[in-house]
Amino acid sequence: MGEITDFDALRRAMAENSGQPEGPARNARAEQLLAEAERLNLPLAVIEALGHQLKVYNYSSEKDKMFVPFARLLRLWDERPEDFDEYETHSLHWVFKWMSAGMLDQPHVPLASVEKWLGEMEHRYRLAGHSERAVRAAEFSVAAHIGDLARAGRAYAAWLAADRDRMADCHACELHGQGTWQVECGEDAEALRLWRPVLEGEYSCAHEPHTVLASSLAPLLRLGRTDEARAHHLRGFRLVRPMESMRGAYADHVEFCALTGNEARGLELLAERPAYFTDTGHPRSRLDFLTVVALLMDRMTVLGLGGQRVPGPAGRAWTAGELAAHARAEALELAARFDARNGTSYVGDRVRARMAQEPLVERLPLGVRTVRAHPAPVAAPPMPAAPEKDAGSGESGLAALLAEARRLSDTLRPHALEAWAAVARAAEGVELEPRDRAEIADHEAMERGPEGAPLFERAAALYAEAGDPGEALAARARGAYVRVLAGEVDAGVTAVAALRDEVLALYAAEDTGVRQAAAVLMSRARILVRRLHDRGGDGDGGDPEETLAEAGRAVREVLALVGGRADGDVRLAARAAEARGMLAGLAALAGDAERAAEGYRLAAAEYVAAGLPWFAVEYEVEAAGLAHGLGDPAGTERALRSALEHGGPYVEPAGRAQLHLQLAEVIGGRGETGEAAEHALEAAHWADAAGESGTLGAWARHQLGGFLLRQGRCAEAAEVLESALPDLTAETHGEGAVVQAQWWLGDCLSELGEHRAAAERRLRAAEIARHWPEQQDHATLAHLAAESLGDAGLLEDADRAYARAGELWRGLGNPYFLVRSLRARAWLALRGEGPADGARELMAQAVRECEHALEAAEPAARDRLTAELANTHCQFGDLLARSAAGGTEDGDQEIKETFEAALARMDRAAELFGTLGAEGLHGRTGAELAAGRLAADLGRPADAAARARGVLAAYEDTRTPDDTARSRRAEAEELLDALPEH
């Protein structure tokens, strides 16, 4: 950073500083440049340096510093207006608007001073001949800020009625202000209508669509347009994140998080900008920020997290409760200062209303990873509250608990085990009948799983004591099954065989019911099926087919017992459905996938028919897996949709994440990226809720990013992929997923114009792919990285990357991209500072490579290679013409010879395209038009005209011309019109 010695150097330094990130460092440099300008002793240099300083202050957190350089500029204008050139004269009047807004945003500036300045602005604009549009817009801002809504309405109407001129804000900024007023008037839909051209990219500027995207969040939520709100948050936050001056828009994004159940995301946003708590240069945006901080912290407190550590002002640790109180006090004190200045309570009223907002959406998944600020919601609906005990009578309350627990278990409702646990707690110290104690022990054993075997034996003894031998056998059979789960397979098989015989004898003697007999037979079937899985299908070393058959007979025995006997008995219907599912599993073990899939579908259907849809989920998932293996995507999709529908709230978060992710992959596979993205979004949300953000969640975000990219939603995709990449690892997700995510992110960043970052992502992906046996991806990524490096202006790096890609394409036997890499290097060389000879040699090499490939090509590839060669000659001619830069002056033989060489290349290209017939028509006419323009530059109007007429003739018989044909004819007409008499 050398000393500034002349005006041009000062201007270059100011331009360079303008490109730096907003903040104190850029402001400090502007102050240094003003000092350098003063040493040049040139009035315009000082004027431009003051204007630069004012601009960087305005786009920073130090907006309060604007007034000093502006006052000095205004004094210079009043003293010597002739020192200002046209641009600086315009700029001086333009920044009057910044001063009006800047004074309004500083509560220490009296309202009378603001009004006086508004009058001064109106006077000077009138003297300069400007429309009053900008003045009325500034008046509207003053009136709206202090709450004088009548005056604001009048100023708003006058603003829109006045003519637009050079002093009016850009269309994007004006529409933002107009939409904000509509929101203030309660017209959210009208605001969004006004903002549409900005949101869709028709109008933009340095701060738009940034602020419109932020301002649209709450209106969209209020209108129930949550998908758009999510998209605007992801897209908009990406824009405001690096811009220090956008604290107000940043606050809108924090507010959005607080209103959508994304408190954890809100905390992350606070952590990214600690200076926003304390920067005082722009009090109005600080007020906005502190207000939404209080809102977010209040949400944390409501969720029971008031004691959680949160990001806050530097210098101490903060809990949510402490920060809520601090932010509220600071915001209200600042609002009171504005109100005292304004003479109204309007600012404070709005601040209090904003702090008091309730969430607009209970849960809005965003797709990006966040560490949960509070526990995941319970998957299943809450169990019914226990009946209240009668005053002085514990037994009656216990009886109600027992009745409810029996109802839930008899009908196989969720939370039956929790209900029995509540009975057990209430029964402590109470004398119960053996039957009651048996059921309590039985259900406690069920809850303990493999550790419950001793309790099943105790339950069996109590059932026997209560006079229910069949239920005693059923409890012992359940105990045998959990022993098998613990590894005691042989003992379980032996025990359950004896229990089967006993229960069937009891049933035949009508000493027990079908429920009890079915329970024992089902336990036996489960044990024999489990033995197959534990021992790989060969049981105890006997005949595998016989072992499989024995299990099948046991399952069918259950079906034979309960078939046709359910008659509204949910338990028996469930036994039949489970048996169907077990038979399906046995068919799968036997290798009959089609029969297995059909069996799982039948089992699921029986559960649904019995009013137990949550039990169907397991079988529908199995059916989906089999359908996928059978190459039946439609069947896979149907089964997964049914699983989600039937599982509802009963499936745990991890299971829901897996179902949504599988469905996303199936739907995405048939090109429905919109719905696929919705399921991937849900998958990411439920993976986070399950605590699997780094595993299943990362994969879901990876998929979501790809689906968003395929829809052209690059900003959203970039946010999601950047969130996924830290968790994507080769060990967990595979190198392919890591490379694909980097590749997709590079594509997003390239579309967003972030070329240096795109190159970085593509180079990282290429480095991983460099070690793969198949080098196609490596070559493609190297080529794409070279494109990004070139777009970023890093010409030497781009040339090296293209050279590397070219080597890879040569090794892969791909002449097309080898030639394209050489052409790209030629254009880079022409952009560089070296002589044009290097660029010409690279293009000549591209021609040679293409000709060599064409000579050795198979007939099927010749047309494509011919087109590639023709394109290369075309580009060579274009490169030669551009390298000659300047046209054909008399006596400049070298330039003329270069144009002649370019014309020869165009002629060769036209000749090659001509050999391709109709497929080469557009290429041939393009080359002829380029040759015609060169002929005109060489002083050969007749030749140029003949070529233009030839292009027109080529399209005479085209009955349905496409856009290219119409464009070619228009170019030919323009060329003819530009020629002298011919």
Side-chain angles (χ1 to χ4, degrees):
M1 195 179 295
E3 184 179 353
I4 304 296
T5 57
D6 57 59
F7 200 179
D8 287 340
L10 175 69
R11 284 174 164 167
R12 287 194 298 271
M14 289 190 295
E16 180 183 352
N17 194 44
S18 293
Q20 297 303 307
E22 295 176 353
R26 187 172 75 157
N27 295 352
R29 177 59 176 157
E31 292 162 5
Q32 293 173 359
L33 292 174
L34 176 59
E36 298 277 6
E38 288 169 337
R39 283 194 284 272
L40 294 178
N41 198 28
L42 292 172
L44 186 57
V46 173
I47 290 167
E48 290 189 12
L50 283 167
H52 173 67
Q53 187 183 77
L54 196 156
K55 181 177 180 179
V56 298
Y57 284 155
N58 183 58
Y59 293 114
S60 78
S61 62
E62 298 180 308
K63 290 177 183 285
D64 55 335
K65 292 185 176 182
M66 289 192 303
F67 303 112
V68 172
F70 181 73
R72 187 174 170 189
L73 272 172
L74 195 58
R75 185 174 69 252
L76 291 173
W77 168 262
D78 288 338
E79 292 172 354
R80 291 180 57 85
E82 65 272 16
D83 288 342
F84 287 70
D85 62 15
E86 182 180 358
Y87 178 81
E88 293 303 326
T89 299
H90 172 83
S91 297
L92 176 70
H93 287 81
W94 181 269
V95 297
F96 260 96
K97 299 179 293 183
W98 295 358
M99 294 305 106
S100 298
M103 289 181 177
L104 199 62
D105 295 341
Q106 304 288 335
H108 70 275
V109 177
L111 189 60
S113 297
V114 176
E115 295 283 6
K116 180 180 178 182
W117 188 256
L118 189 59
E120 179 75 10
M121 177 182 173
E122 182 171 10
H123 172 67
R124 288 181 180 264
Y125 271 41
R126 188 180 299 113
L127 287 177
H130 297 309
S131 164
E132 67 171 10
R133 188 178 182 94
V135 178
R136 299 285 78 82
E139 181 189 5
F140 162 77
S141 297
V142 173
H145 170 68
I146 66 177
D148 187 344
L149 302 186
R151 181 188 179 192
R154 292 192 300 274
Y156 181 84
W159 167 22
L160 269 59
D163 293 335
R164 279 189 56 83
D165 67 351
R166 295 174 63 209
M167 284 299 117
D169 281 343
C170 73
H171 283 288
C173 287
E174 282 207 332
L175 288 173
H176 177 237
Q178 292 163 21
T180 302
W181 174 242
Q182 296 302 323
V183 171
E184 182 67 24
C185 295
E187 300 292 338
D188 288 338
E190 175 61 13
L192 291 163
R193 187 192 69 78
L194 285 168
W195 288 333
R196 182 192 56 75
V198 183
L199 295 169
E200 293 181 0
E202 185 178 344
Y203 302 125
S204 63
C205 68
H207 277 189
E208 296 297 353
H210 314 42
T211 56
V212 164
L213 284 164
S215 297
S216 72
L217 295 172
L220 285 169
L221 291 174
R222 286 193 292 267
L223 292 171
R225 293 160 61 175
T226 53
D227 288 344
E228 292 174 74
R230 176 197 301 112
H232 287 196
H233 169 63
L234 294 177
R235 178 181 161 204
F237 184 67
R238 185 173 190 84
L239 293 173
V240 304
R241 176 189 279 133
M243 301 182 72
E244 184 197 53
S245 63
M246 303 204 71
R247 179 163 53 183
Y250 201 99
D252 290 338
H253 287 279
V254 176
E255 177 185 49
F256 167 83
C257 294
L259 298 178
T260 57
N262 286 289
E263 295 83 8
R265 168 89 167 164
L267 295 180
E268 292 175 5
L269 268 57
L270 298 188
E272 285 192 32
R273 282 290 188 181
Y276 276 175
F277 287 99
T278 52
D279 284 344
T280 58
H282 190 235
R284 195 169 178 182
S285 68
R286 182 166 182 257
L287 173 60
D288 290 336
F289 185 74
L290 290 170
T291 300
V292 299
V293 169
L295 170 67
L296 179 62
M297 294 306 111
D298 284 346
R299 286 293 309 143
M300 297 284 291
T301 303
V302 167
L303 292 168
L305 300 168
Q308 180 172 314
R309 289 281 296 275
V310 295
R316 57 160 288 186
W318 295 89
T319 66
E322 292 167 344
L323 185 57
H326 170 79
R328 181 179 301 278
E330 290 274 305
L332 291 175
E333 187 276 331
L334 192 48
R337 288 168 54 199
F338 275 106
D339 284 340
R341 188 273 302 273
N342 299 340
T344 69
S345 64
Y346 190 68
V347 172
D349 292 343
R350 295 186 71 202
V351 164
R352 282 182 283 272
R354 195 174 189 185
M355 287 180 182
Q357 292 177 99
E358 294 294 327
L360 295 171
V361 180
E362 181 180 351
R363 176 186 73 87
L364 182 61
L366 302 179
V368 293
R369 182 182 183 181
T370 54
V371 179
R372 293 192 63 85
H374 52 90
V378 176
M383 70 175 272
E388 295 182 4
K389 295 182 180 179
D390 292 346
S393 176
E395 286 76 5
S396 62
L398 177 57
L401 285 172
L402 267 168
E404 178 63 7
R406 284 179 177 135
R407 184 189 70 79
L408 292 173
S409 57
D410 283 348
T411 55
L412 299 177
R413 299 294 106 177
H415 293 307
L417 292 179
E418 289 94 323
W420 281 106
V423 170
R425 290 192 296 272
E428 291 178 4
V430 178
E431 188 66 30
L432 293 176
E433 293 297 321
R435 175 74 190 199
D436 299 335
R437 287 184 284 135
E439 289 182 85
I440 291 171
D442 201 2
H443 287 90
E444 185 180 348
M446 293 177 197
E447 190 166 20
R448 290 193 182 186
E451 298 176 359
L455 275 171
F456 278 124
E457 291 299 326
R458 182 166 181 269
L462 289 166
Y463 280 128
E465 184 182 342
D468 192 341
E471 203 62 65
L473 291 174
R476 289 172 60 197
R478 288 190 282 272
Y481 179 60
V482 298
R483 284 198 295 272
V484 169
L485 294 179
E488 301 176 34
V489 178
D490 292 337
V493 171
T494 301
V496 83
L499 294 170
R500 168 191 175 273
D501 294 341
E502 288 185 57
V503 82
L504 289 178
L506 282 174
Y507 182 64
E510 297 185 353
D511 288 333
T512 194
V514 67
R515 270 197 181 189
Q516 290 75 19
V520 174
L521 295 184
M522 180 55 78
S523 291
R524 177 171 177 262
R526 290 172 178 167
I527 287 170
L528 293 177
V529 170
R530 182 73 187 191
R531 178 176 65 173
L532 282 169
H533 291 287
D534 284 353
R535 297 189 175 175
D538 62 354
D540 55 1
D543 182 1
E545 291 187 9
E546 175 53 33
T547 305
L548 186 65
E550 183 183 8
R553 288 192 294 271
V555 176
R556 291 187 183 90
E557 190 174 35
V558 176
L559 278 173
L561 178 66
V562 303
R565 292 183 175 85
D567 193 25
D569 188 323
V570 172
R571 279 186 171 274
L572 292 182
R575 296 293 186 207
E578 183 180 358
R580 298 269 184 217
M582 293 170 80
L583 286 175
L586 294 175
L589 282 174
D592 191 342
E594 291 186 7
R595 185 159 62 92
E598 181 60 25
Y600 282 131
R601 284 192 286 270
L602 286 173
E606 289 191 18
Y607 271 127
V608 173
L612 304 169
W614 49 89
F615 286 119
V617 174
E618 176 185 353
Y619 297 136
E620 286 162 338
V621 170
E622 293 287 351
L626 288 167
H628 178 72
L630 290 166
D632 178 13
T636 306
E637 183 178 338
R638 281 194 302 272
L640 290 170
R641 287 188 186 279
S642 294
L644 273 172
E645 176 190 351
H646 296 143
Y650 305 104
V651 179
E652 291 298 318
R656 294 183 78 167
Q658 290 168 339
L659 287 172
H660 279 293
L661 185 53
Q662 291 175 47
L663 194 50
E665 292 172 348
V666 172
I667 295 171
R670 59 177 170 83
E672 297 291 334
T673 55
E675 187 183 357
E678 292 174 9
H679 285 288
L681 178 68
E682 287 292 322
H685 167 78
W686 289 111
D688 289 345
E692 295 190 20
S693 295
T695 50
L696 188 60
W699 183 257
R701 275 180 271 279
H702 168 260
Q703 293 292 326
L704 174 58
F707 293 136
L708 291 170
L709 173 60
R710 285 162 63 185
Q711 295 175 66
R713 296 161 64 179
C714 295
E716 297 166 67
E719 280 291 300
V720 170
L721 290 167
E722 286 173 347
S723 175
L725 271 165
D727 292 321
L728 283 173
T729 65
E731 295 76 18
T732 302
H733 306 94
E735 280 190 342
V738 179
V739 168
Q740 184 66 82
Q742 295 279 16
W743 192 330
W744 280 337
L745 181 53
D747 290 349
C748 293
L749 296 171
S750 179
E751 287 295 319
L752 294 170
E754 300 176 36
H755 299 300
R756 188 184 292 259
E760 180 183 347
R761 294 297 181 176
R762 288 167 166 175
L763 288 170
R764 288 186 190 180
E767 180 60 24
I768 299 172
R770 183 168 67 89
H771 305 288
W772 293 356
E774 170 54 55
Q775 288 289 283
Q776 177 73 26
D777 286 342
H778 182 199
T780 304
L781 285 162
H783 200 111
L784 289 171
E787 287 182 6
S788 294
L789 289 165
D791 289 338
L794 303 172
L795 305 188
E796 293 182 5
D797 292 336
D799 182 71
R800 284 192 292 272
Y802 273 125
R804 176 61 181 147
E807 293 172 8
L808 292 166
W809 293 128
R810 188 187 299 280
L812 287 166
N814 187 325
Y816 308 99
F817 279 94
L818 169 59
V819 168
R820 291 170 195 180
S821 67
L822 287 165
R823 293 198 310 241
R825 292 181 65 196
W827 287 110
L828 286 172
L830 189 63
R831 288 169 61 188
E833 297 180 359
D837 290 349
R840 297 172 185 175
E841 175 51 36
L842 284 164
M843 197 65 83
Q845 186 181 344
V847 170
R848 291 194 296 271
E849 290 287 354
C850 206
E851 289 174 338
H852 176 72
L854 186 57
E855 289 172 3
E858 298 290 334
R862 293 190 63 81
D863 282 357
R864 185 181 173 195
L865 280 166
T866 298
E868 197 69 47
L869 179 58
N871 274 314
T872 305
H873 277 293
C874 242
Q875 289 200 33
F876 201 167
D878 192 13
L879 181 139
L880 288 168
R882 296 189 189 205
S883 69
T888 57
E889 297 180 6
D890 291 339
D892 195 340
Q893 186 62 29
E894 184 178 349
I895 293 177
K896 184 175 181 180
E897 288 174 358
T898 302
F899 270 65
E900 293 283 8
L903 180 58
R905 293 289 175 180
M906 293 302 180
D907 281 337
R908 179 59 177 147
E911 178 186 351
L912 287 165
F913 278 127
T915 67
L916 300 175
E919 293 298 316
L921 174 61
H922 291 331
R924 179 173 67 81
T925 55
E928 287 285 7
L929 285 168
R933 288 188 287 269
L934 286 166
D937 288 339
L938 286 165
R940 302 171 191 166
D943 184 12
R947 292 174 187 274
R949 291 193 188 97
V951 170
L952 291 173
Y955 290 111
E956 279 182 356
D957 297 331
T958 304
R959 295 182 181 178
T960 55
D962 58 17
D963 289 342
T964 303
R966 286 189 285 270
S967 174
R968 292 281 193 270
R969 296 186 65 168
E971 289 180 60
E973 296 284 3
E974 288 175 9
L975 178 55
L976 285 170
D977 290 342
L979 293 171
E981 196 66 33
H982 46 270

